[in-house]
Amino acid sequence: LVGSEICIRDRGDTVIVKEWKKFRRYKDGAAYYGFSQSIFERLAKDAGAIYKVNKVVLVNCEIFEKYLEGFRLDGYN
């Protein structure tokens, strides 16, 4: 694995490798985080993590992940 990739084991022996990127488009970000695209778009907007370059909309995943940490429930492992 390269330093920018994470390794996830599913229920079997399959290894899923996902590349971590600072900026993602809505569709890619939703798939990466396991949300529907509409939920990911809403959360990214709420996080203030949206960048628009010409007609391309990008989500800053560093900002998004900091925002996502706010939903953490204490006492769950």
Side-chain angles (χ1 to χ4, degrees):
L1 294 176
V2 180
S4 65
E5 296 175 337
I6 61 170
C7 178
I8 302 169
R9 286 209 180 269
D10 70 2
R11 295 175 191 223
D13 291 331
T14 305
V15 175
I16 302 166
V17 176
K18 295 184 177 184
E19 183 182 357
W20 193 90
K21 298 178 187 176
K22 182 174 180 178
F23 291 96
R24 292 182 179 271
R25 292 184 182 206
Y26 284 140
K27 184 177 180 179
D28 184 38
Y32 181 81
Y33 290 102
F35 292 117
S36 70
Q37 186 170 331
S38 61
I39 295 294
F40 181 71
E41 287 180 30
R42 182 173 50 84
L43 290 171
K45 288 176 186 174
D46 291 348
I50 303 299
Y51 291 75
K52 188 169 182 183
V53 181
N54 295 325
K55 294 183 179 183
V56 176
V57 178
L58 299 171
V59 176
N60 182 322
C61 292
E62 289 177 347
I63 295 171
F64 179 77
E65 288 186 5
K66 287 179 187 175
Y67 176 76
L68 207 55
E69 285 294 325
F71 291 92
R72 182 176 174 265
L73 298 176
D74 291 333
Y76 286 87
N77 294 328

